[in-house]
Amino acid sequence: MKWFKRGAIVLCLTCAATMWHADPASAQTFTDSKTYEVDLNGDGKKENIKWVGKKDGEKYSVKVYVNGKKLSTATSNYGSDAQVSVVDIDKEDKKKDIYVQITSESDGFEKGFGYQYQKGKLKKTFTFDQPATGRLSIEQKQPGDGCVWFDSEYGDSYFMQGYVKQAYEITAGKLKPVNKKIMNTTTVWRKTDYKATKTLKVYADIGDSTPSFNLSSKTTFNVYKIKASNPKALLDGVSYIYIKTADGKTGWIKNPKKVVIMGKTPEGDWSTSVLQWG
């Protein structure tokens, strides 16, 4: 059982109507074979958009239709499902982007593609081949600052596992992680309780030589931020976690490269191996 659900919480669409009306302010994930109305190019008129996924052996393809016309086909040699979203990447250009992400079993990332609707055609704006982690999904809330924000899976042998909010930028037609080492955890991860197995030093700022307080063993806390050693590889690459205790104290704990914390499982047990790989 996967204890940490997919990080991005998408808008649930349960209406039984064939035509769906949508005008996403940031990002909205669409259901396979359903038709939506969205102003894609910012001209004030809404286009009909639909996508259809198909699996053929190990190959998976996504066909995107605008106003009833097939305008693109995204494929991956290995895949079993897809997530297709309309996202407002850059608020200033008044255009919506279509993001197609093909995944394999257990939500493993395979391929990503970005498109814009221009002059009756879909222009590919970027490809996404090398994420910083094996699982990620687009965030519903996007700042519209030109970057694409994802909930990215993070795991460390000593500091547990969850999802962090990570920005990707479009560089030369490729989507690449922004070199930002400090990342916020998602709401799902922040709900998980932890406690120290020994007394730990907690620092007000990264790099401080004197701790602001000592975290005693059995004191519960939650993780609000991480400092990644390498934003391009989020597995086993964290140097600090930013915590908040039950009584409101906050600060950074340096990774000691040994097991010093325990996490609470959904069953209410404490474990030193709360790594949720699905």
Side-chain angles (χ1 to χ4, degrees):
M1 179 179 68
K2 187 186 298 180
W3 293 345
F4 286 91
K5 296 180 180 179
R6 185 180 292 183
I9 307 301
V10 299
L11 183 63
C12 226
L13 302 167
T14 56
C15 176
T18 302
M19 184 70 71
W20 300 66
H21 298 270
D23 190 12
S26 50
Q28 187 174 356
T29 299
F30 291 163
T31 302
D32 187 355
S33 301
K34 299 292 183 181
T35 301
Y36 300 80
E37 288 188 340
V38 183
D39 182 3
L40 294 172
N41 55 12
D43 65 355
K45 299 179 181 179
K46 292 184 177 182
E47 286 75 37
N48 296 337
I49 177 172
K50 179 180 76 171
W51 72 276
V52 178
K54 181 180 180 181
K55 184 171 176 59
D56 184 7
E58 293 186 337
K59 185 176 181 180
Y60 193 86
S61 62
V62 174
K63 295 179 180 180
V64 180
Y65 298 81
V66 178
N67 293 333
K69 184 178 180 181
K70 185 186 74 175
L71 296 184
S72 75
T73 302
T75 61
S76 173
N77 290 331
Y78 303 97
S80 58
D81 201 356
Q83 182 187 63
V84 178
S85 307
V86 170
V87 53
D88 193 357
I89 295 177
D90 186 353
K91 292 181 179 179
E92 294 186 359
D93 68 7
K94 301 186 184 302
K95 298 176 182 177
K96 300 292 192 300
D97 295 77
I98 299 172
Y99 174 65
V100 177
Q101 179 170 304
I102 299 176
T103 57
S104 58
E105 294 182 4
S106 296
D107 297 330
F109 178 89
E110 289 297 333
K111 285 276 190 178
F113 306 87
Y115 304 91
Q116 278 193 349
Y117 184 64
Q118 300 178 7
K119 298 180 179 180
K121 298 181 179 180
L122 283 183
K123 177 185 177 182
K124 186 183 292 183
T125 52
F126 62 82
T127 57
F128 190 16
D129 299 312
Q130 296 180 318
T133 183
R135 289 194 188 114
L136 75 169
S137 55
I138 196 166
E139 287 192 355
Q140 182 182 343
K141 293 182 179 180
Q142 297 283 328
D145 58 359
C147 292
V148 187
W149 285 77
F150 290 88
D151 286 349
S152 299
E153 184 182 54
Y154 152 82
D156 184 86
S157 298
Y158 311 108
F159 276 162
M160 306 302 183
Q161 180 261 350
Y163 284 86
V164 294
K165 298 180 179 182
Q166 186 176 28
Y168 281 74
E169 60 186 350
I170 303 170
T171 303
K174 299 283 186 179
L175 203 60
K176 297 183 178 181
V178 174
N179 191 32
K180 182 181 179 182
K181 293 186 177 182
I182 295 177
M183 305 177 203
N184 293 324
T185 57
T186 65
T187 302
V188 174
W189 192 359
R190 292 181 181 186
K191 291 180 179 179
T192 302
D193 292 329
Y194 297 93
K195 66 180 179 181
T197 60
K198 57 179 291 185
T199 299
L200 298 175
K201 296 177 180 179
V202 183
Y203 300 90
D205 294 302
I206 293 173
D208 284 356
S209 57
T210 303
S212 60
F213 69 96
N214 290 323
L215 180 72
S216 62
S217 62
K218 299 183 180 179
T219 300
T220 59
F221 63 88
N222 301 93
V223 179
Y224 277 72
K225 299 178 185 179
I226 69 164
K227 181 185 178 183
S229 302
N230 182 3
K232 295 182 180 180
L234 289 180
L235 300 182
D236 283 324
V238 66
S239 51
Y240 286 84
I241 56 173
Y242 183 81
I243 70 162
K244 183 177 182 178
T245 64
D247 60 0
K249 293 182 179 179
T250 60
W252 293 93
I253 299 176
K254 187 176 181 180
N255 193 337
K257 299 299 181 181
K258 59 183 178 181
V259 176
V260 293
I261 64 174
M262 303 175 71
K264 183 179 283 188
T265 69
E267 291 77 20
D269 302 319
W270 291 97
S271 172
T272 57
S273 58
V274 186
L275 291 170
Q276 322 313 331
W277 297 115

